[in-house]
Amino acid sequence: MAAPLGGLAGFARAPPLLARSVGGRTGRATAHRELGDFAQSFAGLDAALTIEPDNLDALLARGETLIAAERYADALDHADALVLRKGDSGRVHALRS
């Protein structure tokens, strides 16, 4: 049996509905971030947040992408906005650390 494909190759073979879902878009954006393609990562996260603006996974992934892109001031602003919007959960607090 072949090993499952990870990263973007896995998403290329994903069912179309998964690829268009918030989770699918967030996962693909995370893969782009890991490859250093921050523009595509932000585009995917923006698309996911257009569908579901309060999706915590997509909001946290956006903060993590800001950090990976070395946009630290933006990441802190994003984390502060998340605390006001979602409360200081453990996952949001980890983003600020």
Side-chain angles (χ1 to χ4, degrees):
M1 178 185 325
L5 292 175
L8 293 176
F11 281 102
R13 294 180 24 174
L17 287 178
L18 174 62
R20 291 190 305 253
S21 71
V22 172
R25 289 174 191 263
T26 301
R28 187 170 42 241
T30 299
H32 281 295
R33 179 185 72 227
E34 295 300 318
L35 293 171
D37 189 349
F38 302 122
Q40 285 296 319
S41 182
F42 285 122
L45 293 167
D46 289 345
L49 291 167
T50 297
I51 296 167
E52 193 177 325
D54 287 330
N55 184 281
L56 186 57
D57 289 331
L59 290 167
L60 289 172
R62 183 165 182 72
E64 292 166 349
T65 302
L66 288 166
I67 292 168
E70 298 180 357
R71 292 174 50 186
Y72 303 118
D74 292 335
L76 279 174
D77 290 343
H78 181 72
D80 288 341
L82 270 177
V83 168
L84 292 174
R85 190 173 186 175
K86 293 287 198 180
D88 194 9
S89 74
R91 291 175 69 193
V92 174
H93 181 73
L95 181 61
R96 289 200 89 246
S97 305

